[in-house]
Amino acid sequence: MEYLKLFVFAVFVSNVVLSQFLGICPFLGVSTKVSTASGMGMAVVFVMVIATLVTFLIQHCILDPLGLGFLQTIMFILVIAALVQMVEIILKKISPSLYQALGVFLPLITTNCAVLGVAILVIQKDFNLLQGLVYSISIALGFTLALVLFAGIREHLELVGVPKGVKGTPIALISAGILAMAFMGFAGLVKI
């Protein structure tokens, strides 16, 4: 039950994009089509879970025992960048079809602050490994949900008559704000 509450909390109540404002760059940049948004979302799920696992182990097996906690941010950035590169190389050799499906999304994840943010949040919230993995999967799925919903809204906005003064980025930001307010309705659903 605890993990279900954590899942619902991370996906809906504490959505990484809509309430924590992490990952805004891909949220606004990749959300013009549902197909690209879902591709980016799946790539984020994949990398975020692996990054959380590796950074958790580095924190608890290397940084904490050696008293090097102050190197956490730099170490996590390097680990995430290296992981994305390794995943890209391995996928290219082992599964070219999956590599093609993820396409340009893997390199974009290196600069996605949501991946780093979740790795740090797992440590700050003092989760154990299983809780950290459930949290990272949930956050990544919440990111994907927000991205796909926003992409659907933006696709629809292209078909309707939007006044010239708010076309493009202004209507996208207004829509993102309304979507964030809609997700605020889940705030009383689960408390953690």
Side-chain angles (χ1 to χ4, degrees), residues 153-163 167 171:
I153 291 169
R154 288 183 76 177
E155 280 185 358
H156 181 72
L157 286 173
E158 299 227 353
L159 302 174
V160 298
V162 177
K167 264 193 172 173
I171 194 68

Side-chain angles (χ1 to χ4, degrees), residues 1 13 16 49 56 61 65 85 87-89 99 104 116 121 133 137 142 176 192:
M1 189 65 169
V13 178
V16 72
V49 171
F56 181 90
C61 297
Q85 290 302 313
V87 166
E88 190 172 359
I89 290 168
Y99 174 76
V104 299
L116 176 62
L121 283 172
L133 290 175
I137 290 168
I192 294 213

Side-chain angles (χ1 to χ4, degrees), residues 47 58 94 96 112 150:
V47 171
I58 286 174
I94 292 176
N112 188 346
F150 190 57

Side-chain angles (χ1 to χ4, degrees), residues 65-119:
L66 296 176
L68 299 173
F70 61 92
L71 292 175
Q72 179 189 61
T73 304
I74 293 171
M75 184 67 81
F76 284 12
I77 290 170
L78 293 173
V79 165
I80 290 167
L83 275 174
V84 170
Q85 290 302 313
M86 284 181 7
V87 166
E88 190 172 359
I89 290 168
I90 291 169
L91 281 180
K92 196 173 193 179
K93 291 185 184 229
I94 292 176
S95 178
S97 60
L98 182 57
Y99 174 76
Q100 290 295 331
L102 292 176
V104 299
F105 302 122
L106 275 174
L108 286 175
I109 295 171
T110 305
T111 59
N112 188 346
C113 63
V115 177
L116 176 62
V118 168

